[in-house]
């Protein structure tokens, strides 16, 4: 019966991470998946989260089903973090927010919702974008297109081409934008570029679908969400997917949220109902534990302050590692390639290494990057950064084999 089922070739990120786990070499370095490791190379358990968890466990609460839309305290906390506690749209009750199964779950619920209610709309992603964006939207039945984004020659942004392409899209098209720490390139729009793009989205009557998986890993929690707030203030129809995987180090708990910014509170109520329906059709209701942890931290002033501090330490360490590898490559690779490590922002750098060079790094040095050349700089630490710089110089420096 199942003879015709083809083999799954694997996922460019998750399967590679599984290969890394199986690699027996002790000097291996994981710079593939977007996971923050600390200076010791371990996955941190944040002390704010640990404290919230101890309180939750002590309560010994029963585990009934959550509402389909999720834990109310979590939904409220997520909305406040994404849009700002003082957001006018939030005060007007015109944002519909649901808890989702991670950021990917938010994208899936958003994709299904849009497919059902905007069947004629197509979606545009940045070129390149996170590999799974295309997968999720195509699986939900969308036609996926791209707009110009990354400039490989400079390691920067093709902003004019991006803006002009978006300016020519059919009305009600969906434009997927990364709020901060663009995945995979680490290249973000400046504030001025956002200011220029927002009126284009508004004038063309487009839907902004903002993915914010790395809030707090760029310039700060508020700064990283600036474009979301700008879009909300400008009344651009907007959907925001956010994730707490990275900024709470809660990857396996699958904590995400999806928010739709509507024209008024009545519209938001109807949209909330349809999102709820989409959730019921996919997985009924979301899991409870991670949501309680996030709500526990964000709902307690002391824990919230200590979480802010812990996140700042992560952000600063990434910054330090960017400088360390930049330093380590001095005189060893060409300057345009080297400059990317400090010019790009967040967990990722688009190194400019070819697929062959990435393969050599993996096979000969046990260093894992994505085939696209994306490096997760959050996997670097003081102990491995010298080794990584040396290996990159060996595969991409002047003396490297062609
Ligand atoms: C990544 O981009 O590496 C992460 O977001 C993990 C994933 O699910 O792909």
């Amino acid at each position: 019966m199942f003879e015709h089922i083809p083999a799954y070739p694997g996922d460019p990120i998750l399967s590679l991470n599984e290969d890394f786990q199986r690699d027996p070499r002790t000097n291996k370095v994981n710079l593939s998946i977007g996971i923050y490791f600390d200076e010791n190379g371990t996955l941190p358990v944040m002390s704010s989260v640990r404290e919230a968890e101890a309180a939750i466990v002590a309560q010994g609460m029963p585990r009934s089903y959550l509402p389909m839309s999720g834990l109310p305290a979590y939904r409220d906390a997520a909305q406040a973090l994404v849009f700002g506690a003082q957001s006018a749209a939030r005060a007007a009750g015109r944002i519909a927010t649901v808890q989702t199964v991670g950021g990917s779950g938010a994208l899936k619920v958003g994709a299904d919702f849009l497919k059902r209610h905007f069947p004629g709309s197509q979606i545009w992603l940045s070129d390149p974008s996170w590999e799974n964006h295309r997968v999720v939207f195509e699986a939900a039945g969308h036609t996926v297109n791209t707009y110009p984004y990354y400039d490989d020659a400079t390691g920067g942004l093709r902003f004019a081409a991006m803006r002009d392409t978006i300016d020519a899209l059919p009305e009600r098209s969906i434009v997927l934008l990364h709020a901060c720490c663009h995945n995979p390139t680490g290249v973000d729009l400046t504030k001025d570029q956002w200011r220029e793009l927002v009126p284009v989205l508004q004038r063309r009557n487009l839907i902004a679908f903002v993915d914010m998986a790395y809030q707090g890993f760029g310039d700060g929690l508020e700064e990283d969400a600036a474009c979301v707030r700008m879009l909300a203030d400008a009344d651009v129809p907007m959907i925001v997917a956010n994730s707490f995987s990275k900024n709470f180090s809660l990857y396996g708990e699958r904590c995400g949220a999806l928010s739709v910014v509507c024209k008024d509170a009545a519209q938001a109520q109807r949209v909330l109902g349809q999102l709820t329906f989409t959730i019921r059709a996919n997985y009924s209701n979301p899991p409870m534990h991670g949501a309680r942890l996030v709500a526990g931290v964000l709902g307690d002033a002391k824990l919230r302050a200590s979480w802010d501090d812990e996140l700042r330490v992560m952000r600063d360490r990434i910054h330090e590692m960017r400088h360390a590898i930049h330093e380590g490559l001095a005189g060893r690779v060409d300057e345009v390639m080297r400059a990317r490590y400090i010019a790009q922002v967040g967990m990722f750098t688009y190194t400019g290494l070819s697929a062959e060079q990435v393969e050599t790094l993996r096979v000969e040095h046990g260093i894992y990057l994505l085939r696209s050349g994306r490096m997760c700089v959050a996997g670097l630490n003081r102990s491995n950064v010298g080794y990584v710089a040396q290996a990159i110089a060996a595969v991409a420096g002047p003396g490297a084999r062609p």
Side-chain angles (χ1 to χ4, degrees), residues 11 13-14 32-35 104 130 132 183 213-214 246 254 348 370 374:
D11 179 79
I13 302 176
L14 299 186
S32 62
I33 194 163
I35 290 184
S104 299
W130 180 47
N132 210 34
N183 181 2
Y214 297 89
K246 333 276 174 177
R254 312 307 296 132
F348 305 117
L370 298 193
R374 187 192 84 172

Side-chain angles (χ1 to χ4, degrees), residues 317 333 395:
R317 203 190 76 75
V333 294
V395 304

Side-chain angles (χ1 to χ4, degrees), residues 98-162:
V98 292
Q99 178 186 338
T100 58
V101 182
S104 299
L107 293 169
K108 167 67 173 153
V109 171
D112 282 358
F113 167 79
L114 287 169
K115 187 66 199 163
R116 175 176 279 259
H117 298 286
F118 296 83
S121 296
Q122 299 191 2
I123 180 155
W124 269 260
L125 308 180
S126 61
D127 177 22
S129 198
W130 180 47
E131 273 100 335
N132 210 34
H133 279 145
R134 178 177 286 277
V135 174
V136 170
F137 283 98
E138 283 184 348
H142 286 270
T143 301
V144 177
N145 311 278
T146 59
Y147 57 82
Y149 193 80
Y150 186 68
D151 185 349
D152 198 37
T154 62
L157 183 65
R158 297 178 60 198
F159 179 69
M162 170 187 181

Side-chain angles (χ1 to χ4, degrees), residues 169-348:
L169 296 184
E171 285 207 358
R172 294 158 84 91
S173 293
I174 305 153
V175 183
L176 192 129
L177 299 157
H178 299 231
C180 59
C181 310
H182 184 270
N183 181 2
T185 67
V187 176
D188 288 337
L189 274 68
T190 63
K191 245 192 169 155
D192 283 343
Q193 288 168 336
W194 279 114
R195 275 193 205 102
E196 214 178 313
L197 188 67
V198 168
V200 175
L201 293 159
Q202 194 182 40
R203 188 175 69 244
R204 301 293 307 179
N205 203 17
L206 303 172
I207 300 170
F209 197 140
V210 181
D211 190 357
M212 184 157 64
Y214 297 89
Q215 188 180 5
F217 283 92
D219 294 325
L221 283 165
E222 302 301 317
E223 295 84 342
D224 291 352
C227 68
V228 170
R229 291 147 194 209
M230 216 186 268
L231 286 157
D233 289 345
D235 284 337
V236 173
M238 175 170 53
I239 303 190
V240 184
N242 79 288
S243 165
F244 296 115
S245 293
K246 333 276 174 177
N247 56 16
F248 272 81
S249 195
L250 279 175
Y251 305 86
E253 295 292 351
R254 312 307 296 132
C255 297
L258 184 75
S259 301
V260 182
V261 183
C262 303
K263 200 162 162 289
D264 55 40
Q267 208 179 74
Q269 276 309 310
R270 295 198 303 276
V271 167
L272 182 66
Q274 290 301 327
L275 296 176
T276 302
F277 165 77
T278 307
I279 288 167
R280 178 61 164 157
N282 273 290
Y283 51 84
S284 276
N285 43 58
M288 179 181 273
H289 187 66
R292 280 187 183 159
L293 299 179
V294 172
V297 171
L298 294 179
D300 177 296
K302 191 175 126 277
L303 293 183
R304 161 74 205 240
S306 99
W307 172 69
D308 274 6
D309 287 344
E310 291 180 271
L311 189 55
R312 185 173 316 113
V313 170
M314 291 177 166
R315 185 165 63 239
D316 290 349
R317 203 190 76 75
I318 289 178
H319 192 71
E320 190 191 323
M321 285 304 114
R322 285 186 172 281
H323 282 269
I325 187 144
H326 180 256
E327 189 66 21
L329 287 171
R332 289 171 133 175
V333 294
D334 84 57
E335 281 303 304
V336 176
M337 182 179 245
R338 188 169 89 95
R340 296 172 188 207
Y341 293 93
I342 51 171
Q344 300 175 352
V345 179
M347 272 202 193
F348 305 117

